[in-house]
Amino acid sequence: MVATDLLVQSLLNGLLLGGIYAVAALGLSLVFGIMDIVNLAHGHMLMVGAYVAIVLFTALGLTPIVGMVVAFAVLFVLGMALQRFVLEPVVGEGMEQPIIVLFGLALMLQSIGRIVVGSTAQATDINIPGDAISIGAATLSFPRVVTFVLSIVLILGTWAFLKYTTTGLAIRATAQNSSAAQYMGVDTDNIYVLTLGIGTGLAGAAGALLSMLFPITPYVGWSYLLKAFAVVVLGGVGSIAGTLVGGLILGVSENVGVLYLGGGFRDIISFGIFVLVLLVRPHGLFGSSGGGE
Amino acid sequence: MASITDTFGDLFENRRRTALAVVGVLALLAIPYSTTPYVTDVVFTGLVFVMLGVSWNLVAGYAGQISLGHHAFFGVGAFVSAWLTTPGRANLPEAIQSPALLAIAVGTLVAGLLALTLGPVLFRLSGHYFAIGTLAVAAIVQLVLLDQRRFSGGSTGYYVQNSLSEDVFFVLMVLATVAVILVTYAIVKSRSGLGMRAIHDDEDAASSLGVNPLRYKLLAFTVASAMAGLAGGFYAQFSLYINPDSTLGVPWMVDTLVVVVLGGMGTMAGPILGAGLFLTLDTVLRETAGELATTIEGALIIIFVIFVPGGLYKLLKDRYGDDEPNAAEAQAEQAE
């Protein structure tokens, strides 16, 4: 039997980790909801973001919090370029073209990663002083708390951007009905470029945050893609609140599940939850309808 | 039997193509007896690519269901055949020890049955959801086997033994590849093949005309997965070493995708041409570009989808055309 203290500790750690999962999933969910494209290279972009933070940390000693901002910027530009030069020419020809192109991109990022940084696992350290927080018998480590707070800031920021800015309004309009948005003078091509940029930027930020908690290798891409997609499915495509809830559920189930089943099961648990949810509710726990067609 | 001549009649109508195929098969059969073991190994890998490409093309190219879990069935076929020829390594009873060919047949069957069981569940999903769902299922299969070191050898891997010589195996592999191509061709040309293409083009329309989408998707998925299992069984028994990291890994899916995209999706000759091109590229790239080989392969996928959407097959066809046009070709073109 697992001690209660340990259970509470895992539960809280899971919640904190879930925040980052939600950030990673939010980018995927936005792109899927608005553009109807699943970015199969999302996990690999997260990996690139993590390495941006790792390189800044090892070379300059910069805290990964700065790394996160830089990772967001780098991946934002990469995502915009990807949409403009690679995806735009193939979208509209069929569903399989973007899937195959993004699969190819994922492959490229992974192998470039292996060449540039090698296969050894690397991580960052938060590098700013701070104390762990005690809640009863449980202790929340400082980096975990900081990453959680930053995650919430990123999610709220994205929400506010979509809700209160004119560009955000244009993005939402395009998601609802791209033709109607076009008639109202929205340049939907530019909106798609911007959306993919934000989506991949969030992947990069999530990667930088994860580098504080877990060692990263160039091979983690597929695993994080599936986790992010599991969260999207749990929360429903395009729903920001749903994504946050989905992320927390995944983080908690993973951490608590590992306690009972062992560390080798971490990924099996998330992928299992994912497949189960697809089985029961193919459009997600909180999703109303829509995607997948 | 009349039906068989009907089915394959079109195939042999084009004399030049028939002659090319026969010469090709004979040349392949001669490889282990006339070249070095290195060349034999390389060509064997090429045949594995052909099997994977042709079978995946049935699900993705014809039925339009982008499965990203083809490598799981390849790996399952490999591991089941390994357990049967070499049960001792997995602490399985020696009583199940079987000859290599039987082991491969069982591996094929298990891969097919697995697909038949998972199919109805996975086909509740469509489009992107199906692609990611299959990727997740494949990841679970790999993670479970990685965790069960007793059965998979873990990261150390699994050494396979059998009593057949490499040369005999190679010849059998050539025959099996031909069989895979002919079976796929027969399905594509049959009523079921028409149903698959109808689903690919417009599932709702096909459904409203009385085509049962699940039935044809399931048929394509099961047959293709069994073929992937067959390829895996041959691979395990020929290379005599498998491990859950590489044999169940995504790279096999990548290779499959490259082969089909390079050659031309939804065409019979595409994956075969693609396998030839990919094998040449891969062999040359590994020697010249070293580590960059995979990066270049990824770039090739993207470049081909954007600039050569029909693949090598369409490129050759546009350039040289057919000097003996026949009904099947015209029909296929119309269908596209």
Side-chain angles (χ1 to χ4, degrees), chain B residues 144-183:
Chain B
V144 169
L145 275 174
L146 263 175
D147 194 64
Q148 299 294 314
R149 297 183 52 83
R150 195 191 129 193
F151 292 110
S152 65
S155 43
T156 341
Y158 198 104
Y159 289 91
V160 184
Q161 289 163 354
N162 64 54
S163 51
L164 285 178
S165 79
E166 252 188 35
D167 295 353
V168 175
F169 243 112
F170 186 89
V171 170
L172 289 170
M173 179 67 177
V174 174
L175 299 178
T177 309
V178 172
V180 162
I181 295 170
L182 290 180
V183 168

Side-chain angles (χ1 to χ4, degrees), chain A residues 39-48 51 75 78 82 85-87 98-118 217-222, chain B residues 250-251 254-255 257-258 285-286 290-307:
Chain A
N39 180 8
L40 279 184
H42 196 76
H44 291 82
M45 293 178 156
L46 181 149
M47 176 270 289
V48 173
Y51 273 109
L75 271 297
L78 184 72
L82 172 69
F85 300 116
V86 179
L87 288 176
I99 293 186
I100 295 170
V101 163
L102 289 164
F103 198 83
L105 180 72
L107 187 65
M108 281 179 75
L109 291 178
Q110 177 170 319
S111 79
I112 292 173
R114 198 191 58 202
I115 295 168
V116 176
V117 296
T217 71
Y219 306 104
V220 297
W222 296 122
Chain B
V250 177
V254 175
D255 294 341
L257 200 73
V258 181
L285 283 177
R286 302 239 168 253
E291 279 197 301
L292 266 175
T294 323
T295 315
I296 298 173
E297 283 164 31
L300 272 178
I301 298 184
I302 299 174
I303 291 167
F304 259 72
V305 171
I306 298 178
F307 298 107

Side-chain angles (χ1 to χ4, degrees), chain B residues 196-270:
Chain B
M196 287 171 197
R197 285 205 296 270
I199 294 167
H200 182 192
D201 291 343
D202 189 335
E203 187 169 332
D204 294 334
S207 185
S208 69
L209 291 173
V211 176
N212 178 351
L214 180 62
R215 196 180 132 200
Y216 292 116
K217 285 181 191 171
L218 205 54
L219 177 71
F221 189 54
T222 307
V223 171
S225 303
M227 286 170 175
L230 178 70
F234 266 101
Y235 173 79
Q237 301 299 329
F238 184 81
S239 63
L240 300 179
Y241 173 76
I242 53 177
N243 80 62
D245 252 331
S246 65
T247 313
L248 282 158
V250 177
W252 286 106
M253 184 66 239
V254 175
D255 294 341
T256 307
L257 200 73
V258 181
V259 161
V260 177
V261 171
L262 287 189
M265 229 166 137
T267 64
M268 253 338 274

Side-chain angles (χ1 to χ4, degrees), chain A residues 73-92:
Chain A
V74 168
L75 271 297
F76 180 71
V77 173
L78 184 72
M80 291 205 295
L82 172 69
Q83 169 65 17
R84 178 111 298 166
F85 300 116
V86 179
L87 288 176
E88 242 172 45
V90 299
V91 164

Side-chain angles (χ1 to χ4, degrees), chain A residues 108-191:
Chain A
M108 281 179 75
L109 291 178
Q110 177 170 319
S111 79
I112 292 173
R114 198 191 58 202
I115 295 168
V116 176
V117 296
S119 301
T120 329
Q122 297 181 60
T124 58
D125 192 277
I126 188 160
N127 220 15
I128 50 171
D131 294 321
I133 298 168
S134 295
I135 297 179
T139 320
L140 303 180
S141 79
F142 181 63
R144 276 185 192 267
V145 174
V146 171
T147 55
F148 182 75
V149 171
L150 288 172
S151 300
I152 298 298
V153 169
L154 283 169
I155 293 169
L156 285 177
T158 310
W159 172 78
F161 171 74
L162 287 176
K163 177 117 180 151
Y164 294 112
T165 64
T166 322
T167 318
L169 182 68
I171 292 180
R172 283 184 292 136
T174 308
Q176 277 181 10
N177 188 334
S178 60
S179 314
Q182 242 168 359
Y183 300 146
M184 297 299 131
V186 174
D187 184 342
T188 49
D189 279 350
N190 278 344
I191 291 294

Side-chain angles (χ1 to χ4, degrees), chain B residues 12-336:
Chain B
F12 298 114
E13 221 165 76
N14 184 332
R15 287 206 202 107
R16 198 174 73 168
R17 194 185 294 170
T18 313
L20 211 66
V22 171
V23 171
V25 171
L26 287 177
L28 281 174
L29 288 173
I31 278 176
Y33 306 101
S34 56
T35 60
T36 59
Y38 171 73
V39 174
T40 313
D41 275 1
V42 170
V43 177
F44 188 91
T45 314
L47 292 172
V48 172
F49 289 158
V50 172
M51 275 198 191
L52 287 173
V54 167
S55 55
W56 187 74
N57 190 35
L58 184 67
V59 196
Y62 286 102
Q65 307 301 309
I66 308 287
S67 155
L68 294 180
H70 211 49
H71 53 295
F73 300 99
F74 174 83
V76 165
F79 270 101
V80 170
S81 89
W83 290 329
L84 288 174
T85 57
T86 328
R89 289 220 139 248
N91 303 314
L92 292 164
E94 287 296 330
I96 64 164
Q97 212 268 335
S98 340
L101 282 184
L102 180 64
I104 294 174
V106 176
T108 309
L109 200 69
V110 171
L113 284 175
L114 184 65
L116 193 62
T117 321
L118 292 173
V121 173
L122 286 169
F123 283 121
R124 291 179 53 132
L125 314 170
S126 58
H128 294 107
Y129 283 94
F130 178 74
I132 303 263
T134 45
L135 190 63
V137 167
I140 294 177
V141 170
Q142 182 182 29
L143 286 169
V144 169
L145 275 174
L146 263 175
D147 194 64
Q148 299 294 314
R149 297 183 52 83
R150 195 191 129 193
F151 292 110
S152 65
S155 43
T156 341
Y158 198 104
Y159 289 91
V160 184
Q161 289 163 354
N162 64 54
S163 51
L164 285 178
S165 79
E166 252 188 35
D167 295 353
V168 175
F169 243 112
F170 186 89
V171 170
L172 289 170
M173 179 67 177
V174 174
L175 299 178
T177 309
V178 172
V180 162
I181 295 170
L182 290 180
V183 168
T184 309
Y185 186 80
I187 292 177
V188 167
K189 285 286 159 206
S190 72
R191 205 184 151 72
S192 307
L194 195 62
M196 287 171 197
R197 285 205 296 270
I199 294 167
H200 182 192
D201 291 343
D202 189 335
E203 187 169 332
D204 294 334
S207 185
S208 69
L209 291 173
V211 176
N212 178 351
L214 180 62
R215 196 180 132 200
Y216 292 116
K217 285 181 191 171
L218 205 54
L219 177 71
F221 189 54
T222 307
V223 171
S225 303
M227 286 170 175
L230 178 70
F234 266 101
Y235 173 79
Q237 301 299 329
F238 184 81
S239 63
L240 300 179
Y241 173 76
I242 53 177
N243 80 62
D245 252 331
S246 65
T247 313
L248 282 158
V250 177
W252 286 106
M253 184 66 239
V254 175
D255 294 341
T256 307
L257 200 73
V258 181
V259 161
V260 177
V261 171
L262 287 189
M265 229 166 137
T267 64
M268 253 338 274
I272 304 169
L273 292 172
L277 177 63
F278 177 54
L279 191 67
T280 317
L281 277 174
D282 194 52
T283 314
V284 173
L285 283 177
R286 302 239 168 253
E287 306 232 327
T288 53
E291 279 197 301
L292 266 175
T294 323
T295 315
I296 298 173
E297 283 164 31
L300 272 178
I301 298 184
I302 299 174
I303 291 167
F304 259 72
V305 171
I306 298 178
F307 298 107
V308 199
L312 190 59
Y313 175 75
K314 191 159 180 301
L315 213 62
L316 288 175
K317 211 174 131 170
D318 288 351
R319 204 178 160 97
Y320 299 107
D322 268 320
D323 54 1
E324 290 178 69
N326 60 48
E329 282 295 320
Q331 219 181 351
E333 250 171 84
Q334 269 175 0
E336 284 160 24

